[in-house]
Amino acid sequence: MAELNIAQPIKRVRLHEQVARTLSLKIINRELEPETLLPNEDALSRQFGVSKPVIREAINFMDAKGLVHVRPRIGARICDPSGWALNDPLLMKWRMEEAPEKDFILNLLEVRIIIEPIAAGLAAERARAADIDKIFAAITMMEDARDIEEHIAADIRFHLAILEACGNEMLISSLKPIIENILGSSFTHFIHSFAAAKDSIAIHRKVAEAIRGKNSDDAITAMKQIIQRSAEDTKTNDF
């Protein structure tokens, strides 16, 4: 009898990432104050039960994200929040996994409403037949979804397909990490009803039809409506 493939491979999280995740979130959540020093490597090694090289890797990671600044013989000092790379995909993903604050999600929605309608407008001007096929295939997946998880997966594919159809590498690089790593997590916080999710398909189809019809203004307007609806749902949701 053939063996069924019913599970996804389990990803192993490296030790330094686990340490970096814990410390990064404490910094971002202001449990560790800016301009203060982290405990030294010996102390952190004891607290986390890992080797000093693991601690060193974690601190180097945070240094690269602007969270800390390492100086010889002084240690790792927590940087001013103005220098934090909060748009880093991994940092955003960690924040979403850790019961995100409403302001954070609203900030992400503001970024989307600035960028994503522009991408939809450009897609209406530039999308090729294959791009349009991907957009409508995602809508079909949304219509065929049997539960909220399938709907969210299809919704993400829809937004990615439009982004990729815009043909602007700067827009794609700015927004793709948010859509890929954050959108699904944020959806789970403000999509409570499968029926309400199904109701949103009509406005998604309106975007797709505008892109297929090469109507840039309608594509921009409809995409704004999608994101504004998400923002309203988020504002009225208790986290």
Side-chain angles (χ1 to χ4, degrees):
M1 183 176 178
E3 183 178 351
L4 293 176
N5 182 15
I6 59 174
Q8 296 293 326
I10 296 174
K11 294 182 180 179
R12 295 183 180 274
V13 179
R14 290 174 290 184
L15 285 175
H16 82 273
E17 282 192 17
Q18 296 180 46
V19 174
R21 184 184 190 279
T22 298
L23 291 175
S24 296
L25 289 173
K26 286 184 178 297
I27 291 170
I28 292 170
N29 294 333
R30 310 301 173 90
E31 296 175 46
L32 299 172
E33 289 296 326
E35 304 303 326
T36 60
L37 287 170
L38 288 180
N40 63 32
E41 287 183 4
D42 286 332
L44 289 173
S45 177
R46 290 193 299 272
Q47 289 177 27
F48 284 97
V50 297
S51 67
K52 286 194 286 186
V54 169
I55 297 297
R56 205 167 299 129
E57 280 190 80
I59 290 175
N60 287 339
F61 172 91
M62 294 188 293
D63 191 357
K65 307 303 179 188
L67 298 175
V68 301
H69 177 60
V70 181
R71 296 183 63 184
R73 300 183 181 179
I74 295 178
R77 187 180 299 277
I78 299 172
C79 294
D80 185 87
S82 63
W84 297 349
L86 296 179
N87 62 340
D88 178 80
L90 191 52
L91 290 182
M92 288 194 291
K93 181 174 183 291
W94 288 346
R95 292 180 76 183
M96 287 303 305
E97 292 171 346
E98 200 62 21
E101 64 274 22
K102 185 180 290 189
D103 285 348
F104 173 57
I105 292 181
L106 290 174
N107 286 341
L108 289 175
L109 285 166
E110 286 180 356
V111 171
R112 287 183 60 204
I113 205 164
I114 291 168
I115 299 176
E116 206 166 349
I118 295 173
L122 289 174
E125 298 172 5
R126 301 172 179 176
R128 300 163 298 180
D131 296 322
I132 293 170
D133 287 344
K134 288 180 181 179
I135 294 169
F136 277 91
I139 290 180
T140 298
M141 289 177 61
M142 292 170 72
E143 291 171 338
D144 294 342
R146 294 165 295 182
D147 53 40
I148 197 69
E149 288 77 17
E150 288 185 2
H151 178 91
I152 289 172
D155 203 345
I156 291 171
R157 287 187 63 169
F158 171 84
H159 288 277
L160 283 174
I162 290 175
L163 181 62
E164 290 167 359
C166 82
N168 184 300
E169 292 182 358
M170 294 299 293
L171 281 178
I172 293 170
S173 64
S174 298
L175 195 56
K176 190 173 183 180
I178 293 177
I179 293 175
E180 285 185 326
N181 298 296
I182 308 303
L183 205 56
S185 298
S186 64
F187 279 167
T188 62
H189 289 281
F190 54 74
I191 296 180
H192 301 293
S193 163
F194 187 36
K198 288 290 188 182
D199 286 343
S200 73
I201 295 175
I203 188 62
H204 286 73
R205 181 172 288 280
K206 190 174 179 180
V207 176
E209 293 289 359
I211 291 172
R212 181 160 63 183
K214 298 191 177 299
N215 190 323
S216 179
D217 290 341
D218 283 358
I220 290 170
T221 299
M223 183 60 79
K224 284 181 179 178
Q225 290 173 354
I226 289 176
I227 302 170
Q228 285 167 346
R229 174 173 173 163
S230 294
E232 289 304 315
D233 288 344
T234 303
K235 288 174 182 176
T236 58
N237 180 41
D238 292 327
F239 280 57

